[in-house]
Amino acid sequence: MGIAERLFGSARDRFGKEVAARVRAVGSVARADYDPEKFQVVYQGAQGAEPAVINLETVFRETRGASAAARKAAIGRLADIAALPPTPEQWEDVRAALRPVLRPVPAGPQFEIVSRPAARYLSEMLVIDTPSAMRYAADSDLRRWGVSRDEAFATAHRNMARTVTASLDEARSRTGTPQPARHTDNGDAYLTSLPLVDGWLATIGRITGARPLAFSVSNSTLLLAYETPDTEVLTEAFAIAEREWRQAARPISPAPITVDDDGNVVLYTVPEDHPAHAAVKHAQILLAMDAYGPQTEHLRGIAGPGDPFPAALKGFRSPEGAEVTAASWADEETSLLPEADLVLFPQPDGDLLMVPWAAVAEEAGLTPAEGYHPARYRVGSWPDPDVMERLAKLAAEA
């Protein structure tokens, strides 16, 4: 610990305390406290009112390394949350204001935000739309309203009807246009949430006659492209999406969501022999690393003695440019493996046995552990010697 941290606390704690101080200055706030363990500010808008929570992790990460002015403005926006009207107590008073939003996976469940998996490395969250801002709905809100998650999300989807209709009209007007269409949200339309709405992607596909690729690159930008045999056009769409995702203040995904032949909303994939495979794979690896990285950091931070070790997802690029992900399975150690392209078995001589994930999953009977998104797989000692021998043969054939 450096001298600055000893005198003033860590950067996280300084940030949290500054937000709490700004929230206390809001006229309608009776009390505000910084919770360093959960990294949030808990405040009460009036004596006896139910406490509300401001989660700090996302904004803290966004402003790390930013200028003092940008950091001050971000803290001000967090403090403005406390000035919002209280969350309605009754379901009938709030149902019309609910909206779904597509977001990166939250690192840990401590935030209590209403969320559910949306595609492999993304989450769908529930927000309350107000004239001045939006507020994430919490599990405690659902309990107070007496509704289930499914009912709340279904209501939020129905509330997207006006935005859905406008987007379908736009798709009809652009039929035959090969370039991605950029939809920029002013904060009211929730355009980046459109891929979540049941049937939207499938309807876009029927209108245009091509499989839609919805890049929700940030909270405010949706790029809508289409599958095409023109490899140059397709790879350029991925390049544009990655560039905008990297530059975004609040990025979501560089990889597109699409709809499969059964109507399921999934991440877009192509076979290994597809000319655009490298671009598609690259985008998925970026998204996977972005999801597993914070999750690994969170799990290691809360792990206690005897808990399984959260293995990291690692990315590798060959001299030829091929990209893969890998996770290490250490013998005689209980671990939580992220799903990867390869499983690495460290050998006594320092070498690595590298086996395709599908082969390890089948031979070792891997199944997802409960409670993790993206998925984690609990493993212990290596499989029996005969299984390891088969895995070595499969590795040699891969």
Side-chain angles (χ1 to χ4, degrees), residues 86-144:
T87 302
E89 294 288 328
Q90 302 300 319
W91 173 242
E92 291 302 321
D93 296 331
V94 75
R95 61 188 303 167
L98 295 180
R99 299 290 187 276
V101 292
L102 185 67
R103 292 292 185 266
V105 178
Q110 77 273 25
F111 298 144
E112 299 179 355
I113 293 172
V114 179
S115 69
R116 62 183 181 182
R120 193 171 177 184
Y121 304 116
L122 297 166
S123 287
E124 178 181 10
M125 299 181 184
L126 190 69
V127 301
I128 305 164
D129 185 51
T130 73
S132 58
M134 73 171 196
R135 171 183 288 158
Y136 287 95
D139 291 323
S140 58
D141 293 324
L142 298 187
R143 291 192 293 269
R144 186 168 64 253

Side-chain angles (χ1 to χ4, degrees), residues 18-71:
E18 188 171 349
V19 174
R22 291 285 294 274
V23 170
R24 292 188 199 104
V26 175
S28 59
V29 171
R31 177 175 178 176
D33 298 296
Y34 166 56
D35 184 337
E37 182 176 344
K38 294 184 177 181
F39 199 40
Q40 55 188 208
V41 170
V42 182
Y43 68 95
Q44 285 185 290
Q47 294 293 346
E50 184 175 345
V53 170
I54 299 174
N55 295 305
L56 307 176
E57 187 69 43
T58 298
V59 177
F60 174 74
R61 288 178 180 273
E62 290 173 357
T63 57
R64 185 182 295 172
S67 67
R71 183 172 173 274

Side-chain angles (χ1 to χ4, degrees), residues 308-320:
F309 177 74
L313 183 73
K314 299 179 180 180
F316 299 93
R317 178 177 297 185
S318 73
E320 296 75 29

